[in-house]
Amino acid sequence: MAAVQDSTPAGAHAAATSEKAVPFALRLSERLRAFVDFVGRWGSWLVMPMILFTIIDVVGRKIHWLDDQGRLHGLQVFLVSVFGRMFESTMLQELEWHFHAGLFALVLGYGYIHNAHVRVDLIRENLAFRKKAWLEFFGITFFLIPFTLTILYFAVGYAYGSYEMNEQSTSTVGLTHRWIIKSVLLFGLVVALLAGISVWLQVAVILWADDRLRFPLMTLEWPEEAGTKIAGKERVKLEDAPDTLVAPDELLKERTSKILTGS
């Protein structure tokens, strides 16, 4: 993890950064963050089959016709006859919400470590840095972790009961093995819990470790970086953004000129 000591005069005498100099809590937080990030990035690909099955379902039901003998023809009829029941309307609709549920579950923790969840910041945004850290710490300690653990407690029985009874769709032509999607929801809650623990450890380091230590934050901004990010992403000022209307050749010439002149 790229933790660095503050380069200000007050922190100039700090020891050189090394793996041992980084608190164990911070290293553990980074490992948990990396795992949550990995799950979220791969889980986000579920949006592709979700969109694909939605398009097939909507378009397939609209493209159909009757021939001279009154027989029904169409895209969905063709898909069902060639590939099987998976392309029946009920199956497609259930696949849509299965993928949607899986997508939501697997990126829930990812959104938190990247500070992408909606925050009602009428009060928080006007607080000092350490007060924000304390607010985050208490919020995770008394709300996020207990709430997630409570849901997990019931979700385990929810998924296991589904597996034990081999639960299927309430529709006679729907999907089988419903315990699979319920297990994915359970796994997503575990990942969200790990995301909360990761942020909790990071905030604890902020509050109780050496205040000269600097490292990438997940849900906060260092005082010297305040206002440079929004929703976890770098804030771009319009006056500093590249002019995309300029022809590529002209833009290249301008950048080359700046490099050569040092301007």
Side-chain angles (χ1 to χ4, degrees), residues 109-148:
Y110 177 87
Y112 185 45
I113 64 170
H114 287 281
N115 201 31
H117 287 306
V118 175
R119 290 177 179 265
V120 182
D121 289 342
L122 297 177
I123 297 177
R124 180 181 180 274
E125 281 303 294
N126 297 316
L127 297 177
F129 174 71
R130 287 191 66 84
K131 290 182 178 179
K132 288 182 181 179
W134 275 111
L135 186 63
E136 195 82 13
F137 183 80
F138 282 119
I140 297 172
T141 304
F142 296 108
F143 293 97
L144 190 151
I145 292 178
F147 181 73
T148 308

Side-chain angles (χ1 to χ4, degrees), residues 28-46:
L28 178 58
S29 171
E30 173 60 19
R31 289 187 176 92
L32 293 176
R33 185 211 62 79
F35 174 73
V36 173
D37 184 80
F38 174 82
V39 173
R41 289 183 183 276
W42 281 100
S44 64
W45 283 98
L46 290 179

Side-chain angles (χ1 to χ4, degrees), residues 222-233:
W222 293 111
E224 59 270 22
E225 297 176 350
T228 61
K229 294 183 179 180
I230 180 170
K233 303 295 183 181

Side-chain angles (χ1 to χ4, degrees), residues 3 18-28 205 209-210 213 215:
S18 66
E19 186 68 18
K20 293 183 179 179
V22 179
F24 171 76
L26 198 56
R27 283 181 276 138
L28 178 58
V205 171
D210 187 350
L213 193 65
F215 46 88

Side-chain angles (χ1 to χ4, degrees), residues 91-216:
M91 298 282 277
L92 288 173
Q93 290 173 25
E94 292 196 359
L95 281 170
E96 290 165 25
W97 70 258
H98 273 61
F99 280 114
H100 188 221
L103 172 66
F104 171 81
L106 297 180
V107 302
L108 187 60
Y110 177 87
Y112 185 45
I113 64 170
H114 287 281
N115 201 31
H117 287 306
V118 175
R119 290 177 179 265
V120 182
D121 289 342
L122 297 177
I123 297 177
R124 180 181 180 274
E125 281 303 294
N126 297 316
L127 297 177
F129 174 71
R130 287 191 66 84
K131 290 182 178 179
K132 288 182 181 179
W134 275 111
L135 186 63
E136 195 82 13
F137 183 80
F138 282 119
I140 297 172
T141 304
F142 296 108
F143 293 97
L144 190 151
I145 292 178
F147 181 73
T148 308
L149 286 173
T150 302
I151 300 177
L152 273 171
Y153 173 78
F154 291 102
V156 170
Y158 182 65
Y160 180 74
S162 178
Y163 171 78
E164 196 172 39
M165 66 184 294
N166 193 24
E167 183 183 6
Q168 302 182 17
S169 170
T170 54
S171 172
T172 56
V173 292
L175 294 172
T176 60
H177 302 85
R178 185 163 282 186
W179 61 269
I180 295 177
I181 185 59
K182 291 186 176 182
S183 298
V184 172
L185 292 173
L186 177 62
F187 178 70
L189 287 170
V190 172
V191 175
L193 177 64
L194 294 179
I197 295 173
S198 177
V199 176
W200 186 88
L201 289 169
Q202 190 179 82
V203 174
V205 171
I206 293 172
L207 294 173
W208 286 291
D210 187 350
D211 59 5
R212 296 171 299 178
L213 193 65
R214 290 293 183 267
F215 46 88

